[in-house]
Amino acid sequence: MSAQALRIPRTGFGRGQVQAVAGCYFVASFAALGLPPYLTEILPELGDRQARWAGVLYIVPTVFGALGAPLWGRLADRFGRKRLLLRAQLGLAVSFLLAGWADSMATFTVALVLQGILGGTFAASNGYLGAALEGPALSRALTLMQGSARAALVVAPIVVGSLSGWLSPHRQYALLAVLPLTAALLLAALPEPEPVERSQAEPETVDEVVPVVSLRVLYALEFAFVFSTVISFPYLIQLVDDRVPGTSAALSGVLFALPHLVYLVAALAVHAAFRDRPRAGIALGFACIALGLAGHGVAGSLTSLIAVRLLLGVGLTLGLVCLSVLAADCARGRAPGGMFGSLEFFSKAGAVAAGLAAAAGSARFGPAAPVLIGGAAAAVTVFATLLPTLNHRTRRSR
């Protein structure tokens, strides 16, 4: 039986529910994505006057989130995806309250650890959607979820900065705890995804549909993609100031946001174009990332920086969309909580590795080192992605 025949629609779960899940993720991720850039302002209030621990604490939620994601995913498959999604939102609220009222470095660190362990809203949301949808409907929903993440990454730091005039970023943790609480209340009204029920006219056994890539390849692509893109984040502002001295903070923020804005504009169109050829899309995406990051290393003007940021945005969009298509393909016939929990582990592992590599490379070779390392990693992945296709064509020609 074809893959199309296996895409059995679920009843009672439509576009409105998908948009509700994506909207709740956007709301709940404000503090998680908007406040870490302000750690250098938060830590002096807690006794770390030079904010020496900012780099370490920046990745603490990511590390513990990676460790907890597979476990929470398996528990979701066992006890219910909606229940574990609500748990993730409430866990964020508790950790944000503790962080906002912390009066010492130790308490604040514990709060960040709890944020990683108790959070995991992205993986929980994807697991919930994976139990309710499949095929193109699921990949489109995952694309929308990535759009929520990109939008939060762009908007949240701006909102936090605007609020800091009357409330310090440290205390904003407590204020923003109301957002995941609100998201939990909204999600409580959504249905629990039900198992697929096949019609009596459908055969009991069908030929197994082989996914485009294996789970191992999907996890490797996720790790490589996150590593090659995230590595450019921490020192981008420093690189911009080095290449174009006198650039305002606002303009630097716009340059940072450009790739994510490209995703918000083009993601759905890219999904329509590449949903049936994700392997080609992911290879093209990594190629654009490699060229875009290499361009960061030589860009010497504002115009060239804008151009390479837009090229990176094209690669980011192709990569995220095609990874969503591949993940939806791999999720067919599997317990979605465990699969998306494991996928989140490799995503966060890539982010941690990128942060460490960026810090080491920048300290040793300067602010251009992280983008060059990321570009090299993306270039290697292009060849690794294309190699199976080339080998297959070679065997067919023989």
Side-chain angles (χ1 to χ4, degrees):
M1 182 176 288
S2 66
Q4 183 67 31
L6 285 175
R7 292 166 187 163
I8 303 169
R10 272 74 163 177
T11 58
F13 200 95
R15 181 178 299 178
Q17 285 82 1
V18 173
Q19 292 173 345
V21 174
C24 287
Y25 174 73
F26 172 80
V27 166
S29 60
F30 247 74
L33 296 177
L35 286 168
Y38 294 89
L39 282 176
T40 52
E41 297 183 22
I42 294 174
L43 297 187
E45 299 180 23
L46 299 172
D48 183 9
R49 295 184 178 179
Q50 267 93 57
R52 294 176 180 174
W53 288 96
V56 175
L57 294 181
Y58 193 94
I59 64 172
V60 162
T62 305
V63 171
F64 285 91
L67 295 175
L71 173 62
W72 290 125
R74 289 192 292 270
L75 290 176
D77 291 328
R78 182 174 181 181
F79 296 106
R81 285 92 184 188
K82 177 181 173 179
R83 186 177 301 174
L84 269 292
L85 177 54
L86 291 173
R87 176 217 57 79
Q89 298 285 5
L90 295 174
L92 275 185
V94 170
S95 63
F96 291 163
L97 282 172
L98 182 60
W101 294 110
D103 56 2
S104 68
M105 277 286 294
T107 306
F108 187 74
T109 302
V110 169
L112 295 183
V113 170
L114 290 177
Q115 178 186 326
I117 294 175
L118 300 179
T121 53
F122 191 72
S125 298
N126 287 347
Y128 177 86
L129 293 172
L133 303 167
E134 58 187 359
L138 176 57
S139 63
R140 186 180 177 89
L142 297 179
T143 299
L144 182 62
M145 283 295 298
Q146 285 289 354
S148 292
R150 301 303 117 187
L153 193 61
V154 171
V155 175
I158 298 174
V159 173
V160 171
S162 300
L163 291 175
S164 62
W166 63 276
L167 185 66
S168 71
H170 176 204
R171 300 308 178 190
Q172 284 187 47
Y173 267 106
L175 174 65
L176 295 180
V178 72
L179 297 179
L181 283 174
T182 303
L185 291 175
L186 295 174
L187 290 169
L190 294 181
E192 175 70 39
E194 297 180 359
V196 183
E197 293 183 1
R198 299 183 182 273
S199 64
Q200 294 180 353
E202 186 178 359
E204 293 183 1
T205 60
V206 295
D207 296 332
E208 182 181 359
V209 178
V210 179
V212 176
V213 299
S214 67
L215 269 182
R216 288 184 179 181
V217 172
L218 176 65
Y219 295 155
L221 289 173
E222 181 75 16
F223 179 93
F225 176 82
V226 173
F227 178 88
S228 59
T229 52
V230 170
I231 195 172
S232 67
F233 291 178
Y235 297 95
L236 177 66
I237 304 302
Q238 184 180 353
L239 178 64
V240 170
D241 188 61
D242 180 67
R243 295 302 164 84
V244 188
T247 303
S248 67
L251 182 55
S252 296
V254 171
L255 289 172
F256 182 89
L258 268 182
H260 309 293
L261 294 174
V262 171
Y263 182 92
L264 293 175
V265 170
L268 292 180
V270 170
H271 179 270
F274 285 94
R275 66 185 180 187
D276 295 324
R277 42 181 179 169
R279 186 187 288 274
I282 196 73
L284 181 60
F286 273 109
C288 291
I289 291 169
L291 292 174
L293 290 178
H296 281 66
V298 297
S301 66
L302 180 59
T303 301
S304 59
L305 277 172
I306 292 174
V308 297
R309 293 300 288 170
L310 290 174
L311 181 57
L312 180 62
V314 172
L316 183 81
T317 304
L318 282 164
L320 286 171
V321 169
C322 292
L323 281 171
S324 294
V325 174
L326 293 174
D329 185 50
C330 286
R332 186 185 291 111
R334 289 189 170 93
M339 196 207 85
F340 283 108
S342 297
L343 188 64
E344 184 74 357
F345 169 83
F346 285 96
S347 175
K348 291 187 180 299
V352 171
L356 296 175
S362 180
R364 181 69 176 84
F365 300 106
V371 293
L372 297 178
I373 295 171
V380 170
T381 309
V382 172
F383 291 107
T385 304
L386 292 176
L387 187 59
T389 303
L390 294 175
N391 288 339
H392 178 67
R393 291 179 178 175
T394 301
R395 288 195 296 269
R396 289 187 61 185
S397 65
R398 292 177 180 175

